[in-house]
Amino acid sequence: DAKTTQPPSMDCAEGRAANLPCNHSTISGNEYVYWYRQIHSQGPQYIIHGLKNNETNEMASLIITEDRKSSTLILPHATLRDTAVYYCIVRVGGEYGNKLVFGAGTILRVKS
Amino acid sequence: EAGVVQSPRYKIIEKKQPVAFWCNPISGHNTLYWYRQNLGQGPELLIRYENEEAVDDSQLPKDRFSAERLKGVDSTLKIQPAELGDSAVYLCASSLDRRTENIQYFGAGTRLSVL
């Protein structure tokens, strides 16, 4: 099973870009990288996912290295409401089908 | 469109008492998940349903936990009897089907405190 490694916490100034790294050196060729976030007292929220190419949506951008062993989630203009725990997840296959396995994530604190 | 609805939001019980959590997934979503989240950790999958069928309950402690999804819509998760270590947030999530199963939509969760 591919596992991910994230820094436990990061700070970012409001209005600046937040770059959240993730290492997944054992990822397999057909496994996607997913990012979710969890704001205090809420359930996790899907942000973005990708396989090989960089991806962008209205929430964030995902940059995946060419060897796919690491990725970076970019919030281009962080706001105070982006303060949350960010989870980098590699989809895990198995006997019962694919499922998400959450780690401890990165606590992002956006400060004014 | 309403999201995943869970109730209650909070529950405080004494150990050895039973407790139940309820989840209403997004309309039309065939796949439903129950997770448990301990303080400072990410969610851990307890059980996954495809319509009415529990297709992955490998992480569900079956001696005291049970779940059901009658008619393939709403679901309940029960603990009987509850232990101190069961204190956690219990999250419900749903997804459209297996093809998009990893884009999951979560409810706000039920925070359980066992005294």
Side-chain angles (χ1 to χ4, degrees):
Chain A
D1 299 343
K3 290 181 170 55
T4 63
T5 303
Q6 298 178 255
S9 64
M10 294 180 62
D11 290 341
C12 177
E14 187 178 21
R16 305 298 294 269
N19 298 291
L20 292 93
C22 179
N23 287 323
H24 32 79
S25 59
T26 60
I27 193 170
S28 299
N30 61 348
E31 291 180 323
Y32 283 77
V33 178
Y34 287 76
W35 284 84
Y36 280 73
R37 74 178 183 184
Q38 188 170 22
I39 295 170
H40 182 63
S41 295
Q42 297 183 22
Q45 175 191 24
Y46 167 79
I47 301 174
I48 199 168
H49 73 285
L51 182 64
K52 295 180 182 179
N53 300 321
N54 299 336
E55 302 287 345
T56 295
N57 63 20
E58 65 278 5
M59 292 183 67
S61 294
L62 175 60
I63 308 298
I64 302 175
T65 58
E66 190 170 346
D67 63 8
R68 303 211 324 121
K69 293 184 177 182
S70 65
S71 60
T72 300
L73 180 74
I74 300 173
L75 307 178
H77 305 287
T79 71
L80 298 178
R81 288 178 293 180
D82 292 321
T83 292
V85 179
Y86 286 77
Y87 298 101
C88 171
I89 301 162
V90 173
R91 187 175 64 189
V92 176
E95 177 182 354
Y96 301 103
N98 295 323
K99 63 182 180 182
L100 300 176
V101 178
F102 290 81
T106 295
I107 300 172
L108 175 68
R109 300 183 186 90
V110 181
K111 299 182 176 181
S112 58
Chain B
E1 178 183 303
V4 176
V5 179
Q6 292 188 246
S7 68
R9 284 299 314 272
Y10 305 93
K11 189 73 176 180
I12 301 174
I13 61 171
E14 293 186 348
K15 62 181 180 181
K16 300 185 181 180
Q17 294 299 306
V19 65
F21 315 122
W22 175 80
C23 173
N24 181 239
I26 293 174
S27 178
H29 279 195
N30 296 325
T31 307
L32 184 145
Y33 313 77
W34 282 102
Y35 289 85
R36 176 170 60 189
Q37 185 171 25
N38 293 313
L39 189 63
Q41 299 180 21
E44 298 174 291
L45 181 68
L46 291 174
I47 189 168
R48 178 175 68 129
Y49 281 92
E50 297 287 344
N51 297 305
E52 299 174 340
E53 182 182 2
V55 296
D56 183 358
D57 62 356
S58 57
Q59 301 302 312
L60 188 72
K62 298 182 181 62
D63 56 337
R64 299 182 298 107
F65 286 66
S66 64
E68 61 181 11
R69 191 183 184 198
L70 300 177
K71 300 182 181 178
V73 181
D74 295 0
S75 178
T76 56
L77 178 68
K78 298 178 181 178
I79 308 174
Q80 182 171 11
E83 297 179 351
L84 295 177
D86 296 330
S87 294
V89 175
Y90 291 84
L91 293 160
C92 178
S94 70
S95 62
L96 188 59
D97 55 33
R98 284 183 64 88
R99 291 171 297 174
T100 59
E101 66 180 1
N102 288 300
I103 299 178
Q104 299 177 18
Y105 298 86
F106 285 78
T110 297
R111 181 177 296 278
L112 173 68
S113 296
V114 182
L115 306 179

